[in-house]
Amino acid sequence: MRPRQDPNPIEGTTMAALPGPAAVHTHPDHVQVADGYTATLIVTGYPAEVGPAWLEPLLSWPGRLDVVLYVDPLSAPAAAARLRRQRARLESHRLDDAGRGRVSDPLTDAAADDAAELAERVARGESTLFRVGLYLCVTAASPTELRDAVTHVRATAASVLLDTQPATWRHLQGWQSGLPLATDRLHTRRVMDTDALAAAFPLAGADLPAPLPGRPGPAGGILYGLNRASHGVVWWDRWSQDNANGVVLARSGSGKSYFVKLDILRELSDGVHVAVIDPENEYLRLADAVGGATIVLGTGGVRLNPLDIPAGDRRDQARTRRALFLHTLVAVLLGEQPPPAERAALDRAVLTAYDTAGITTDPDTWQRPAPLLRDVTAALTDQDGPAGQMLAARLTPWTHGSFRELFDGPTSTVPAGQLVCWSTRALADELRAAGMLLALDAIWREIDNPAADPPRRLVVVDEAWTLMRDGDGARFLARLAKQARKRRAGLLVCSQDVLDVLGSDLGQIVIANAATQVLLRQAPQAIDLITDAFALSTGEARALLTARRGEALLLSGTHRVGFQIVAAPAEHRLCTGELDLDD
């Protein structure tokens, strides 16, 4: 007869036995649990004074380290009796030294004074004593890695003046003490008061703050990477900050464009509309892969008329805004603000050109074809006085000369799509800043359209130093940074020329209005300016000087976290231009 088998072998088994390992092998310096090796360190010595979050270096240690803290309160009578014995022992030492004619021990004197002060606080109910046990459980994949990890953890503990001792022949009890069973098998305790114990709690860490208990987690956001200190996930939502603006600063070759492309891909997946100013054709293949629109300024047939009034805009000042923008464009073309007489002549010429085209202050006339830049110069030439004729002559290269292609006709391309990439690489250097300004103006006209429930929009300006070198272009960018938040938009400024961005007052305005700031590796020549502008600590500045490709520092208010950029294989190939989305 075969023995009867239990149909449910788990029934009757205690819960403590179910999740346990099949076997635990004990050794003098560690225990082997399944495929892992664990060693326990007992904290036996503490510094005389500690600051807030003094356990943070251990909590942020880059590896598998469990920091175990056992706390048992002492009753008031037991605490008072313990303090009386401690004070009596210290005072007897002091009296013995005095009776033998010895010089008093300063350590004994300090300990006696501290004990007396603590006794007074306990007697007044201002503090409570606790019996505290602090253990560090280190886990690694092999005995060799475990020994190296234990050495590193002991050095980290020593850096905050903590003395540690291995639990030799007691590592099994140490491993059991580290389990979430609230059972201390080592029983190595130290008496602490309320202040010291409160400072030991992990109130600060390398990770971004999590939602408070009972609060819902963030509904949006994208993955930035992995925390370099804790290996946690850095998940960031620029749209839940004070504003959606951002800035990315890095030296060449540090991974800036890769990070920005990854940011664009993930924002697109979140339903955000993105427009990119691309001076080096780095984003064209990405736009083609995801079905976006590309506009290559400087090629034949691509024109932008700066005097166009946005379609559907019925606001009273629409024509006046276009006239003011033309003042900004002319200043960028000439490289300086014209003299007051020429500016006055330009203003009269713009109004004359609009009136000649039949466009008045009546919104019903704004659908008519807008005048061109050459019409404005013709109106300048017809004016009496030398100012208009001088300005018309200065604008000749852009109306009838070598640079007229971009303005010589009505707007030929109307951008549309969730991702629009404006390339300015084909433009001559003399037109590069003007082309970026025209592209930004076209983007802004779409953002500023008073439509109901507009989508979230992100404007990415790569190599922003091209505009920052020009005062009027920088002013336009600063206005965009200030006004984008009110229109459900954000401005992301990227540059590898840190000195041009931070070396001007307008660049500082753009930085100050960016709630999300990402810094990658920096050059030694710029690190002092970066440190002052972003209030970096010495450690943060050193980390930026030695950061490898793809390592970055995220700053936002009081939040500071270093992270390693991570991407899925398909994302990586899209960002490097090796794969189309259909592949």
Side-chain angles (χ1 to χ4, degrees):
M1 178 182 294
R2 291 185 298 178
R4 179 178 178 272
Q5 295 182 352
D6 190 351
N8 187 5
I10 296 180
E11 186 177 354
T13 306
T14 62
M15 286 300 297
L18 290 178
V24 176
H25 300 276
T26 62
H27 301 271
D29 57 347
H30 69 273
V31 293
Q32 180 182 359
V33 182
D35 295 333
Y37 298 82
T38 301
T40 302
L41 298 174
I42 304 174
V43 178
T44 57
Y46 297 83
E49 295 182 1
V50 294
W54 53 274
L55 285 179
E56 193 271 339
L58 294 173
L59 295 170
S60 300
W61 185 77
R64 174 70 184 278
L65 174 63
D66 296 329
V67 180
V68 184
L69 191 67
Y70 283 93
V71 180
D72 288 329
L74 281 173
S75 62
R82 182 182 290 271
L83 286 173
R84 281 197 300 270
R85 290 195 299 270
Q86 180 70 5
R87 294 183 63 189
R89 183 167 60 254
L90 294 173
E91 289 296 337
S92 65
H93 280 297
R94 297 172 68 176
L95 293 175
D96 182 66
D97 291 340
R100 296 174 181 270
R102 299 174 182 171
V103 178
S104 61
D105 184 3
L107 296 178
T108 303
D109 293 341
D113 295 340
D114 292 342
E117 180 184 358
L118 181 58
E120 292 179 1
R121 295 207 310 268
V122 171
R124 291 194 298 266
E126 298 177 357
S127 184
T128 304
L129 297 187
F130 300 86
R131 296 176 64 248
V132 178
L134 180 58
Y135 313 125
L136 309 176
C137 298
V138 188
T139 303
S142 67
T144 302
E145 294 180 7
L146 180 62
R147 285 192 292 269
D148 294 339
V150 167
T151 302
H152 194 183
V153 170
R154 297 192 70 177
T156 303
S159 67
V160 291
L161 302 181
L162 292 177
D163 296 331
T164 58
Q165 295 295 331
T168 306
W169 285 115
R170 302 180 66 196
H171 289 283
L172 176 61
Q173 289 83 353
W175 173 72
Q176 292 172 334
S177 300
L179 297 176
L181 302 176
T183 302
D184 184 5
R185 302 293 301 276
L186 293 175
H187 301 291
T188 303
R189 300 296 183 95
R190 175 72 176 266
V191 176
M192 293 187 183
D193 66 335
T194 306
D195 294 339
L197 180 61
F201 275 78
L203 302 179
D207 287 313
L208 293 172
L212 296 175
R215 299 282 184 90
I222 60 175
L223 174 67
Y224 269 20
L226 298 179
N227 193 313
R228 293 174 56 191
S230 66
H231 300 282
V233 172
V234 178
W235 188 270
W236 189 252
D237 184 10
R238 60 163 41 92
W239 304 99
S240 65
Q241 309 306 313
D242 295 337
N243 58 68
N245 298 336
V247 60
V248 180
L249 300 179
R251 67 181 300 178
S252 178
S254 59
K256 170 181 63 67
S257 297
Y258 185 94
F259 170 73
V260 175
K261 292 177 186 177
L262 196 62
D263 192 3
I264 291 173
L265 279 174
R266 292 170 178 171
E267 291 289 358
L268 289 173
S269 66
D270 199 28
V272 178
H273 288 225
V274 181
V276 184
I277 308 296
D278 181 10
E280 295 296 335
N281 288 352
E282 295 183 272
Y283 301 85
L284 293 184
R285 295 193 63 180
L286 176 64
D288 292 338
V290 300
T294 58
I295 303 171
V296 183
L297 302 179
T299 57
V302 177
R303 296 183 298 271
L304 292 175
N305 185 8
L307 295 171
D308 281 340
I309 297 178
D313 192 348
R314 309 284 293 180
R315 289 173 292 183
D316 296 338
Q317 301 297 320
R319 194 182 81 155
T320 304
R321 289 192 182 95
R322 301 317 305 155
L324 294 176
F325 172 73
L326 193 64
H327 281 270
T328 302
L329 177 63
V330 168
V332 171
L333 292 175
L334 300 179
E336 62 178 2
Q337 276 285 357
E342 294 184 8
R343 290 203 299 270
L346 176 63
D347 195 63
R348 291 194 300 269
V350 172
L351 297 181
T352 300
Y354 272 125
D355 292 339
T356 303
I359 299 176
T360 65
T361 55
D362 183 4
D364 292 335
T365 65
W366 294 348
Q367 304 301 322
R368 297 172 181 172
L372 304 178
L373 185 59
R374 64 169 177 258
D375 298 326
V376 176
T377 58
L380 285 169
T381 305
D382 294 339
Q383 291 181 9
D384 294 333
Q389 296 179 2
M390 178 61 70
L391 183 57
R394 297 176 67 184
L395 291 175
T396 299
W398 294 278
T399 57
H400 300 85
S402 303
F403 305 141
R404 71 179 186 276
E405 182 68 23
L406 188 60
F407 313 97
D408 194 22
T411 300
S412 60
T413 304
V414 178
Q418 190 179 358
L419 174 62
V420 179
C421 182
W422 298 78
S423 172
T424 62
R425 184 174 181 177
L427 291 172
D429 292 341
E430 293 81 2
L431 280 175
R432 187 70 62 87
M436 294 183 68
L437 183 62
L438 286 172
L440 279 174
D441 176 64
I443 295 170
W444 176 250
R445 280 184 283 175
E446 189 174 0
I447 292 175
D448 196 37
N449 190 1
D453 193 22
R456 294 177 298 172
R457 299 182 185 273
L458 181 65
V459 183
V460 180
V461 183
D462 202 357
E463 302 303 340
W465 58 270
T466 305
L467 273 178
M468 289 298 177
R469 292 184 303 180
D470 184 86
D472 291 276
R475 275 189 284 273
F476 187 89
L477 205 61
R479 289 198 300 269
L480 180 59
K482 290 181 178 180
Q483 300 175 10
R485 179 185 61 85
K486 302 175 182 179
R487 294 161 175 83
R488 295 195 71 191
L491 173 67
L492 179 59
V493 174
C494 318
S495 181
Q496 66 184 21
D497 200 326
V498 177
L499 297 179
D500 277 345
V501 177
L502 297 180
S504 66
D505 294 337
L506 294 172
Q508 295 283 0
I509 292 175
V510 173
I511 298 296
N513 284 276
T516 302
Q517 302 163 352
V518 177
L519 305 177
L520 289 90
R521 182 168 183 168
Q522 302 296 323
Q525 295 82 358
I527 193 61
D528 292 337
L529 189 59
I530 285 283
T531 300
D532 294 338
F534 295 93
L536 301 180
S537 66
T538 303
E540 290 169 340
R542 188 182 302 114
L544 291 179
L545 284 173
T546 59
R548 295 175 294 180
R549 180 177 297 182
E551 293 180 348
L553 178 65
L554 170 63
L555 308 174
S556 181
T558 58
H559 304 330
R560 295 169 177 261
V561 57
F563 65 94
Q564 173 69 48
I565 301 169
V566 294
E571 290 177 324
H572 173 76
R573 291 191 288 272
L574 279 170
C575 293
T576 55
E578 300 174 359
L579 176 72
D580 291 336
L581 192 63
D582 294 338
D583 295 338

